[in-house]
Amino acid sequence: MDTKALRQKILDLAIRGKLVPQDPNDEPASVLLDRIRAEKQQMVKDGKLKAKDIKNDTVIFKGEDNLHYEKFADGSVKCIEDKIPFELPEGWEWTRLGIISSSIQYGLSNSAEASGTHRILRITDIQDGKVMWENVPFTSVDDPTAYLLQKGDIVFARTGATVGKSFLIDKLPYESVYASYLIRIRLFENISAEYLYHFFNSYCYWRQITDKSVGVGQPNCNGTALKELFIPLPPTCEQLRILPAADSLLMHASSIELEKSSLKEILVQTKSKILDLAIRGKLVPQDPNDEPASVLLERIRAEKKELIKQGKIKRDKNESVIFKGEDNSYYEKIGDTVRCIDDEVPFELPENWIWCRLKNISDIVMGASPSGNNINNDSQYIEFHQGKIFFSDLFINKSGQYTKEVIKTALPNSVLLCVRAPVGEVNITDRLICIGRGLAAIKPLDSISEYFILYWLCAFKTVINEKATGTTFKAVTSDVVREILIPLPPLSNQKRIIDQIQNAVKSIDQIEKSLS
């Protein structure tokens, strides 16, 4: 279920008058607007408002032709039918935000301080629709009267990436003012701030505010633009009926969102558990008739000797053999040296499986990034960057002046491992590619599946990261990659494991997709 769309549907129904039944006995919103206009006139007389503050006030009404018109202070009338977002129920009225606001004001330019007379609310203090008031910094204000926040105030981000985002002051544990990148809206009595706040989260609002935001590098929305926003205003009584209905439904949507997040986390954990069971030999049944992995490893050693003779790979003077001793401990033999490695072996393996080093079953190539002038538009080699393949227009030069020591390549069906940040990210290439120095290419020998190595590295990622060193950025060395321990199952078992993993992951991916 798309909970974001669900929330928007709830808000859309609310502001269209379709969430709760209409009551014909409600005082029409037009009467409320008349009272607000009279109150504004009185405020001008009392010196609480300036005449210029209401000179642009307008009246929106329906003509005899059933079209919407707007009457301006100079007496002129203009048809605005093409600007009205949608039709409203009987008793509702379209108005501008400036009409129903007693104040639309920018904040203070004061600096944040460790101590002071008041807290100063900034855009950055509003995260995920919440404010951690105890973390809001202080400032010092001699006369804060004009900038003091009150419950029921709504503040807007007027610039930057969050432009248009609003926040309702529903609690105020400290005397607080607000910073200059915020605009404060204060509404007249009998206009529900909670109802308006719901409107400010609707598509109808965002369509308008997006049109009014200006600027490319730093979009902004000023107070004048806010005053012009079209507001669907219900009768006061209906505003109060809408709130509990909308809040209840939105709470259910939030609960669904939390459940979705929990389920997504469970699915991630399930994938990890599947990999964990697979590499321990517990995902599929063992078949005692399978050719033991030790026989496979002997074939690979013979294959490596032949490749060394042909000059295709280099001889490893530290070639090792891992075996179990009579004391049931694990040992590793390198040349004439034998040492116990029980502290390295993470778990016991099923019968016919064997522990080995990654270098024992694969050819490993560490990447080397060519300089920029070695790149042009004429080559089969494609660069690989940080765990993901980017097929761009930049290719490695094939003029022949570069040796294998300069340009490192990964053969098709090689596992690609990030050895620099992000350490541990893996992928498989289906073609010959050039690899930069942040990558290692792991080409399995014999018939070993690249997917089994890929899944093992995924399960082993945390351990690889623990071996990373460096201050500017983390990286692992060639020796770390080569010495990675890997549990080797019989070939036929590998195939059964891979099929089971891929089927299970495919099912999980389908569930995750349905949650998006």
Side-chain angles (χ1 to χ4, degrees):
M1 179 182 289
D2 186 344
T3 50
K4 182 178 179 181
L6 175 60
R7 293 179 68 87
Q8 286 300 321
K9 186 61 178 178
I10 294 167
L11 295 175
D12 185 63
L13 292 172
I15 65 173
R16 288 174 181 262
K18 298 181 179 181
L19 196 61
V20 297
Q22 307 296 309
D23 187 341
N25 297 313
D26 287 343
E27 177 187 79
S30 58
V31 177
L32 171 58
L33 288 173
D34 286 340
R35 281 203 304 273
I36 289 174
R37 292 186 188 100
E39 185 176 348
K40 281 188 169 185
Q41 293 290 344
Q42 188 60 47
M43 290 174 71
V44 171
K45 290 179 182 179
D46 296 340
K48 295 178 181 179
L49 272 181
K50 295 178 181 179
K52 67 175 185 178
D53 293 332
I54 64 171
K55 71 174 184 178
N56 293 322
D57 283 2
T58 63
V59 178
I60 297 174
F61 64 95
K62 262 193 174 183
E64 293 181 358
D65 55 2
N66 212 34
L67 299 179
H68 287 87
Y69 292 86
E70 189 166 20
K71 183 177 180 179
F72 298 88
D74 62 2
S76 62
V77 176
K78 180 182 178 182
C79 181
I80 57 168
E81 185 65 27
D82 60 336
K83 296 182 180 179
I84 295 296
F86 47 81
E87 284 295 321
L88 294 176
E90 194 72 26
W92 289 50
E93 295 290 338
W94 281 108
T95 188
R96 303 275 190 179
L97 181 59
I99 304 298
I100 59 175
S101 301
S102 61
S103 171
I104 296 181
Q105 183 174 314
Y106 293 89
L108 285 163
S109 297
N110 290 29
S111 299
E113 301 168 0
S115 61
T117 60
H118 296 78
R119 302 271 181 166
I120 182 165
L121 181 68
R122 306 160 302 170
I123 291 176
T124 52
D125 297 316
I126 304 170
Q127 299 292 333
D128 299 322
K130 298 177 182 177
V131 171
M132 301 295 289
W133 285 100
E134 60 274 18
N135 297 331
V136 175
F138 290 90
T139 195
S140 294
V141 189
D142 293 331
D143 182 11
T145 307
Y147 302 98
L148 276 175
L149 289 171
Q150 299 176 8
K151 288 184 180 179
D153 286 346
I154 302 175
V155 292
F156 290 80
R158 67 180 181 89
T159 189
T162 58
V163 63
K165 285 281 187 180
S166 59
F167 179 70
L168 171 65
I169 307 294
D170 57 353
K171 63 178 181 178
L172 206 59
Y174 308 100
E175 279 204 333
S176 304
V177 293
Y178 58 103
S180 59
Y181 286 151
L182 292 170
I183 300 176
R184 184 193 64 193
I185 306 295
R186 184 166 291 166
L187 302 167
F188 278 100
E189 191 178 355
N190 293 327
I191 303 291
S192 168
E194 289 83 0
Y195 168 77
L196 260 293
Y197 185 55
H198 283 325
F199 170 75
F200 294 137
N201 285 290
S202 71
Y203 279 141
C204 179
Y205 162 76
W206 280 108
R207 280 196 297 268
Q208 294 185 69
I209 207 69
T210 301
D211 290 342
K212 294 181 183 299
S213 296
V214 296
V216 179
Q218 189 82 332
N220 65 84
C221 184
N222 57 36
T224 301
L226 282 178
K227 288 180 180 180
E228 295 174 354
L229 289 175
F230 284 105
I231 305 295
L233 186 65
T236 300
C237 291
E238 183 159 357
Q239 293 177 40
L240 300 180
R241 290 197 301 273
I242 287 171
L243 291 177
D247 289 342
S248 176
L249 291 172
L250 291 171
M251 187 178 298
H252 284 304
S254 296
S255 297
I256 294 171
E257 185 64 39
L258 286 174
E259 292 297 329
K260 281 178 59 179
S261 297
S262 299
L263 181 53
K264 285 179 180 178
E265 181 59 32
I266 290 171
L267 293 175
V268 170
Q269 293 173 2
T270 301
K271 283 184 179 180
S272 296
K273 187 61 179 177
I274 290 169
L275 290 179
D276 183 66
L277 292 172
I279 62 171
R280 292 172 182 265
K282 296 180 179 181
L283 188 64
V284 297
Q286 304 300 308
D287 187 343
N289 297 315
D290 288 341
E291 179 190 75
S294 57
V295 177
L296 169 62
L297 200 54
E298 286 300 326
R299 278 205 309 274
I300 290 173
R301 291 192 185 104
E303 180 186 348
K304 289 182 76 174
K305 287 179 181 178
E306 185 60 32
L307 291 172
I308 290 169
K309 286 181 183 178
Q310 296 174 9
K312 294 182 178 179
I313 64 173
K314 294 180 180 179
R315 178 179 174 275
D316 182 4
K317 63 180 179 181
N318 293 320
E319 186 75 19
S320 65
V321 177
I322 296 173
F323 63 94
K324 253 192 175 184
E326 293 181 359
D327 58 358
N328 215 35
S329 293
Y330 284 96
Y331 293 88
E332 184 172 26
K333 183 178 180 182
I334 301 176
D336 296 328
T337 303
V338 177
R339 65 185 184 94
C340 180
I341 59 168
D342 266 352
D343 59 335
E344 290 186 56
V345 175
F347 49 80
E348 286 295 320
L349 295 176
E351 196 72 24
N352 287 339
W353 289 48
I354 194 168
W355 282 105
C356 62
R357 301 288 182 185
L358 191 56
K359 65 182 182 181
N360 297 145
I361 60 170
S362 62
D363 181 36
I364 299 170
V365 176
M366 303 299 288
S369 297
S371 60
N373 60 5
N374 292 348
I375 299 175
N376 65 20
N377 293 323
D378 180 27
S379 174
Q380 63 180 317
Y381 300 129
I382 305 168
E383 283 209 80
F384 180 98
H385 300 274
Q386 299 199 350
K388 294 181 180 179
I389 300 173
F390 294 90
F391 297 98
S392 69
D393 294 327
L394 299 178
F395 301 101
I396 304 304
N397 194 306
K398 276 188 64 181
S399 65
Q401 59 183 307
Y402 306 107
T403 65
K404 288 184 178 179
E405 283 70 37
V406 175
I407 292 180
K408 300 291 185 177
T409 57
L411 296 173
N413 304 318
S414 292
V415 177
L416 301 166
L417 170 68
C418 278
V419 294
R420 301 174 72 177
V423 173
E425 292 296 315
V426 289
N427 211 320
I428 292 176
T429 177
D430 63 350
R431 66 198 70 182
L432 180 69
I433 65 171
C434 169
I435 55 172
R437 61 177 176 170
L439 292 161
I442 303 160
K443 177 64 176 174
L445 298 174
D446 199 82
S447 302
I448 291 176
S449 169
E450 65 271 20
Y451 284 98
F452 185 80
I453 293 178
L454 176 84
Y455 294 140
W456 167 244
L457 291 175
C458 286
F460 199 63
K461 183 177 178 179
T462 301
V463 180
I464 296 174
N465 269 279
E466 288 173 354
K467 296 178 181 294
T469 58
T471 52
T472 305
F473 54 83
K474 295 291 184 181
V476 292
T477 64
S478 168
D479 288 341
V480 168
V481 177
R482 294 172 61 77
E483 298 301 319
I484 290 174
L485 272 175
I486 182 168
L488 186 65
L491 277 178
S492 52
N493 201 336
Q494 285 181 41
K495 186 178 186 311
R496 293 195 298 271
I497 288 171
I498 291 165
D499 288 344
Q500 190 75 355
I501 289 174
Q502 292 179 342
N503 288 335
V505 169
K506 183 179 179 180
S507 298
I508 293 172
D509 286 344
Q510 288 175 340
I511 297 173
E512 288 179 329
K513 185 177 180 180
S514 70
L515 294 173
S516 300

